[in-house]
């Protein structure tokens, strides 16, 4: 199997190097294709990406005008290689834990499994060399985070692209659409991402985040009213210890 990881990037020179190295260290688990989509950065982000590719290989850089994170992710999905079996995501300021892919890829030996969705850890500080959080007392949770998921490419075709009209909440909308499908999704206990919280994070605007979430929730309710065959979302996010989610 081959895995493509889409990494949207905007002015992330401080963090993107760690994000990419955290992916590259997992190449022994699967054939890995990393697609970095630069959304019009004005700092040295592109230089950092190009230097890492020159040293390690395996990183593709797509540069485009600034049109937002949804457009960047869609641009990455449009250039998936023909042999990409699986797709995941990582934001350019987050960290993919060591062994994350090896832990969850085993579920895909079952051809009926369409995606695997793990947990996340919110972190404040990261050791940039070891690519590990420096925080103490971390509590993994089942939250809204695209990097917690690994998706079959065929399943993503059913979910559809990211809604580019969202300023915040595009990931919530995407995941709601994924879980609405009558699908076979494994909810694993793997920590899929160290989700870095810092001063420049888009999610610091709590009012904007709330509006995006409520809009995504309203759209989900509208879809399910129009089409009763869609699955209920159920208590997926924040659920203590689920294992399998069929028709939630």
């Amino acid at each position: 199997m081959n895995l493509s990881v889409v990494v949207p990037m905007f002015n992330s020179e401080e963090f993107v190097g760690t994000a990419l190295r955290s992916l590259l260290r997992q190449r022994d688990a699967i054939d890995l294709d990393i697609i970095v989509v630069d959304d019009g950065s004005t700092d040295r982000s592109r230089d950092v990406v190009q230097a890492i590719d020159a040293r390690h290989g395996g990183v593709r850089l797509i540069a485009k005008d600034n049109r937002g994170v949804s457009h960047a992710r869609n641009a990455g999905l449009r250039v998936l290689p023909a042999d990409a079996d699986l797709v995941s995501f990582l934001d350019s300021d987050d960290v993919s834990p060591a062994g994350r892919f090896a832990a969850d890829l085993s579920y895909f030996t079952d051809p009926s499994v369409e995606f695997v969705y793990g947990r996340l850890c919110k972190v404040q500080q990261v050791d940039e060399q070891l690519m590990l959080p420096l925080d103490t007392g971390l509590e993994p949770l089942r939250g809204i985070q695209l990097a917690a998921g690994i998706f079959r490419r065929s399943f993503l075709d059913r979910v559809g692209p990211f809604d580019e009209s969202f300023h915040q909440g595009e990931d919530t909308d995407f995941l709601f659409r994924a879980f609405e499908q009558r699908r076979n999704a494994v909810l694993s206990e793997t920590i899929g991402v160290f989700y870095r919280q810092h001063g420049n994070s888009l999610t610091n605007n709590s009012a904007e985040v709330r509006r995006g979430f409520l809009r995504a929730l309203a759209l989900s309710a509208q879809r399910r009213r129009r089409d009763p065959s869609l699955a209920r979302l159920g208590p997926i996010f924040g659920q203590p210890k689920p294992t399998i989610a069929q028709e939630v």
Side-chain angles (χ1 to χ4, degrees), residues 166-177:
F166 275 85
H167 178 65
Q168 283 276 1
E170 80 294 330
D171 48 355
T172 304
D173 174 71
F174 182 88
L175 289 172
F176 281 1
R177 286 187 282 128

Side-chain angles (χ1 to χ4, degrees), residues 14-15 18 93 95 121-136 138 194-198:
E14 182 180 356
F15 304 116
T18 302
D93 54 353
V95 177
C121 268
K122 295 182 179 180
V123 303
Q124 300 288 338
Q125 294 181 301
V126 172
D127 184 312
E128 307 298 336
Q129 295 304 313
L130 297 178
M131 295 171 279
L132 288 171
L134 296 172
D135 312 56
T136 59
L138 294 176
F194 294 133
Y195 175 51
R196 198 193 299 244
Q197 299 180 295
H198 56 87

Side-chain angles (χ1 to χ4, degrees), residues 194-209:
F194 294 133
Y195 175 51
R196 198 193 299 244
Q197 299 180 295
H198 56 87
N200 295 328
S201 176
L202 289 174
T203 55
N204 283 340
N205 187 337
S206 58
E208 189 69 32
V209 169

Side-chain angles (χ1 to χ4, degrees), residues 5-38:
V5 182
V6 176
V7 182
M9 177 179 73
F10 177 72
N11 286 353
S12 191
E13 66 174 296
E14 182 180 356
F15 304 116
V16 69
T18 302
L20 295 180
R21 288 188 294 110
S22 76
L23 292 172
L24 289 166
R25 64 179 167 175
Q26 300 181 72
R27 288 191 290 188
D28 58 340
I30 192 171
D31 290 333
L32 191 61
D33 169 53
I34 302 172
I35 306 168
V36 179
V37 183
D38 181 62

Side-chain angles (χ1 to χ4, degrees), residues 18-239:
T18 302
L20 295 180
R21 288 188 294 110
S22 76
L23 292 172
L24 289 166
R25 64 179 167 175
Q26 300 181 72
R27 288 191 290 188
D28 58 340
I30 192 171
D31 290 333
L32 191 61
D33 169 53
I34 302 172
I35 306 168
V36 179
V37 183
D38 181 62
D39 190 38
S41 292
T42 57
D43 64 358
R44 295 184 58 257
S45 294
R46 297 183 193 179
D47 295 337
V48 174
V49 174
Q50 290 168 340
I52 287 179
D53 180 56
R55 182 173 181 180
H56 301 284
V59 180
R60 289 192 282 155
L61 175 63
I62 298 172
K64 66 177 199 62
D65 294 336
N66 180 253
R67 294 183 60 182
V69 65
S70 293
H71 189 272
R73 291 197 185 105
N74 285 337
L77 292 176
R78 285 193 292 270
V79 297
L80 292 175
D83 61 352
D85 305 298
L86 305 171
V87 179
S88 190
F89 303 90
L90 184 69
D91 287 345
S92 60
D93 54 353
D94 292 334
V95 177
S96 183
R100 177 267 188 281
F101 294 129
D104 280 352
L105 288 170
S106 60
Y107 292 107
F108 290 99
T109 57
D110 179 349
S112 71
V113 171
E114 294 177 295
F115 71 99
V116 179
Y117 194 75
R119 293 177 175 271
L120 68 95
C121 268
K122 295 182 179 180
V123 303
Q124 300 288 338
Q125 294 181 301
V126 172
D127 184 312
E128 307 298 336
Q129 295 304 313
L130 297 178
M131 295 171 279
L132 288 171
L134 296 172
D135 312 56
T136 59
L138 294 176
E139 295 185 8
L141 59 97
R142 186 94 57 202
I144 301 219
Q145 235 295 335
L146 290 166
I150 303 175
F151 306 86
R152 284 199 193 273
R153 184 177 186 173
S154 56
F155 179 73
L156 289 187
D157 290 340
R158 285 166 49 198
V159 176
F162 289 88
D163 186 337
E164 296 178 13
S165 68
F166 275 85
H167 178 65
Q168 283 276 1
E170 80 294 330
D171 48 355
T172 304
D173 174 71
F174 182 88
L175 289 172
F176 281 1
R177 286 187 282 128
F179 278 101
E180 286 167 11
Q181 299 293 316
R182 295 291 175 179
R183 79 289 169 204
N184 184 6
V186 175
L187 297 182
S188 78
E189 296 304 309
T190 305
I191 298 176
V193 59
F194 294 133
Y195 175 51
R196 198 193 299 244
Q197 299 180 295
H198 56 87
N200 295 328
S201 176
L202 289 174
T203 55
N204 283 340
N205 187 337
S206 58
E208 189 69 32
V209 169
R210 191 180 308 111
R211 283 194 293 270
F213 178 84
L214 291 175
R215 182 184 173 208
L217 192 62
L219 289 173
S220 175
Q222 291 170 15
R223 286 190 296 270
R224 286 180 284 116
R225 279 197 297 269
R226 289 194 303 265
D227 184 358
S229 71
L230 293 178
R232 295 183 299 108
L233 292 176
I236 297 169
F237 304 107
Q239 190 174 355

